[in-house]
Amino acid sequence: MQQHRARLTVTLTILFALAASFWICPATDLFAQQPGPRRGDRRETPGERLRRERHERQMAEMELRSVEKLGKNRPAEKPPERLLYQQINEDFRRMQEVNNQMMRAIFQATPSNPSNTIDFKHLTRSLTEINKRASRLKSNLRLPKEEAERPPHATHDILTIEQLKQSLLMLDDLVMSFIDNPTFENPGVVDLEQSAKARRDLEGIVEHSQLIKMKAEKLGKTDQPGR
């Protein structure tokens, strides 16, 4: 149905363009094709010339408005397949990179951060990007849904730093489960069960990243760093 509607929209737009051209062109061509006054013919009076020029201006304005209206009503073009594939590859890669960097920052002490203090601003930025990449992958990949409805992913309260870390570990499991899905290792083989699992993992990533971000923002305002 959506494809049919898309085709119908394009068809209507084309018909409108053709109608506009047939509506405008005959009138403008009429003036273009009229022969000029020949030797011995009656020359147009100043009043007739003013009326003719005014009419030509009106037709030019009508043509301009029609073109502008056609541009506004033109349906948004879908990105070419090549650009779509590039976007999928970039989202796939960046979601994994941002997740890995985020987990290292949370769980590995460094010389510049020996106490492993959580940078909540960096954490929320990472979660925002993971959520954006996962949401777009879900839209672009269009993976099949599971036939049997399953309960939503388990969640728990995030009131302390330890609970926050546990939630991030759950998110990391979902990201790695999606990245390591056999569907992406063997693109020529269609496995509906694994494809549906990949979709479910993406849904979990979107859900968890948004929830953890909200809780982390609140926790960052109420807890002192390092607690």
Side-chain angles (χ1 to χ4, degrees), residues 119-132:
D119 183 344
F120 283 95
K121 289 185 178 180
H122 179 267
L123 175 60
T124 54
R125 285 197 301 268
S126 299
L127 290 167
T128 298
E129 182 168 1
I130 290 173
N131 182 275
K132 180 186 73 173

Side-chain angles (χ1 to χ4, degrees), residues 33-207:
Q33 295 173 6
Q34 283 182 343
R38 292 175 298 181
R39 188 174 301 175
D41 291 348
R42 184 181 67 85
R43 301 179 65 86
E44 62 181 1
T45 65
E48 291 173 339
R49 179 173 58 81
L50 289 175
R51 286 194 295 272
R52 175 176 59 80
E53 292 176 351
R54 184 185 307 115
H55 188 62
E56 290 176 350
R57 287 195 300 270
Q58 291 173 345
M59 294 304 300
E61 292 173 358
M62 291 170 61
E63 181 175 1
L64 179 61
R65 287 196 297 268
S66 298
V67 171
E68 291 176 348
K69 183 177 180 181
L70 178 61
K72 291 179 181 179
N73 293 339
R74 183 177 297 137
E77 296 182 357
K78 294 183 178 180
E81 284 190 6
R82 180 176 58 84
L83 296 181
L84 183 62
Y85 291 149
Q86 290 177 353
Q87 189 177 76
I88 290 174
N89 288 332
E90 180 186 357
D91 289 339
F92 190 89
R93 176 180 57 83
R94 281 296 297 163
M95 186 174 68
Q96 184 179 10
E97 289 177 352
V98 173
N99 176 72
N100 291 343
Q101 294 168 2
M102 179 181 67
M103 298 303 290
R104 283 196 298 268
I106 295 296
F107 291 96
Q108 293 182 8
T110 62
S112 60
N113 187 16
S115 60
N116 200 27
T117 302
I118 294 179
D119 183 344
F120 283 95
K121 289 185 178 180
H122 179 267
L123 175 60
T124 54
R125 285 197 301 268
S126 299
L127 290 167
T128 298
E129 182 168 1
I130 290 173
N131 182 275
K132 180 186 73 173
R133 303 285 182 179
S135 298
R136 197 157 59 190
L137 281 169
K138 178 183 174 184
S139 175
N140 288 338
L141 289 174
R142 298 183 180 181
L143 297 164
K145 294 183 179 180
E146 293 176 308
E147 295 182 0
E149 290 292 334
R150 292 192 181 186
H153 292 276
T155 58
H156 57 273
D157 290 335
I158 303 175
L159 303 176
T160 66
I161 297 297
E162 283 305 315
Q163 289 177 337
L164 174 64
K165 290 182 177 181
Q166 289 299 317
S167 296
L168 289 171
L169 287 172
M170 292 172 59
L171 177 62
D172 179 64
D173 287 341
L174 288 170
V175 171
M176 298 314 299
S177 176
F178 173 76
I179 296 296
D180 294 336
N181 192 293
T183 299
F184 308 119
E185 297 176 3
N186 303 296
V189 179
V190 178
D191 188 325
L192 293 179
E193 183 177 352
Q194 290 296 336
S195 298
K197 183 178 182 299
R199 179 188 178 95
R200 179 172 167 78
D201 286 338
L202 273 179
E203 292 173 346
I205 294 169
V206 173
E207 175 186 343

